[in-house]
Amino acid sequence: MRLKDKKIVVTAAAQGIGRATALAFADEGAEVIATDINTDKLEEIKNNNSNIVTKELDATNKAAVEEFSKSIEDIDILFHAVGFVH
């Protein structure tokens, strides 16, 4: 439990590297806030680990990110896994 008592935000957590990272952090004891635009996939990872809470977030939308940032406190780590394809 190397990350016990740490609060971590993982963006693009519904699949790929973001998903693997969110699950790994949660397995290490962190409280993970997993964000993504794909709420169905987010629901799947939330059901895999009780240390994960989810929040729909389009990390390419500046206003949405600012609003999300106001709703969280005392983050220890931000793992920003968003990729954007033009």
Side-chain angles (χ1 to χ4, degrees), residues 47-68:
N47 293 333
N48 283 329
N49 194 304
S50 62
N51 289 344
I52 297 176
V53 296
T54 59
K55 174 75 174 155
E56 181 178 3
L57 176 66
D58 179 355
T60 66
N61 179 318
K62 181 181 177 185
V65 171
E66 288 173 348
E67 189 64 30
F68 169 73

Side-chain angles (χ1 to χ4, degrees), residues 12-16 18-19 22-23 34-48 52 54-55:
Q15 55 196 356
R19 177 188 173 100
L23 290 169
T35 69
D36 204 295
I37 57 174
N38 187 333
T39 55
D40 292 336
K41 293 279 188 183
L42 279 180
E43 194 66 28
E44 289 175 16
I45 68 165
K46 182 171 78 171
N47 293 333
N48 283 329
I52 297 176
T54 59
K55 174 75 174 155

Side-chain angles (χ1 to χ4, degrees):
M1 295 282 185
R2 297 181 299 179
L3 297 174
K4 186 172 175 16
D5 299 323
K6 298 294 183 189
K7 190 180 225 180
I8 301 174
V9 172
V10 180
T11 62
Q15 55 196 356
I17 292 170
R19 177 188 173 100
T21 302
L23 290 169
F25 285 161
D27 287 344
E28 286 295 332
E31 176 188 336
V32 177
I33 302 170
T35 69
D36 204 295
I37 57 174
N38 187 333
T39 55
D40 292 336
K41 293 279 188 183
L42 279 180
E43 194 66 28
E44 289 175 16
I45 68 165
K46 182 171 78 171
N47 293 333
N48 283 329
N49 194 304
S50 62
N51 289 344
I52 297 176
V53 296
T54 59
K55 174 75 174 155
E56 181 178 3
L57 176 66
D58 179 355
T60 66
N61 179 318
K62 181 181 177 185
V65 171
E66 288 173 348
E67 189 64 30
F68 169 73
S69 297
K70 292 176 187 175
S71 73
I72 56 175
E73 294 180 6
D74 301 323
I75 297 301
D76 296 297
I77 299 168
L78 168 63
F79 189 91
H80 191 52
V82 172
F84 179 74
V85 179
H86 299 284

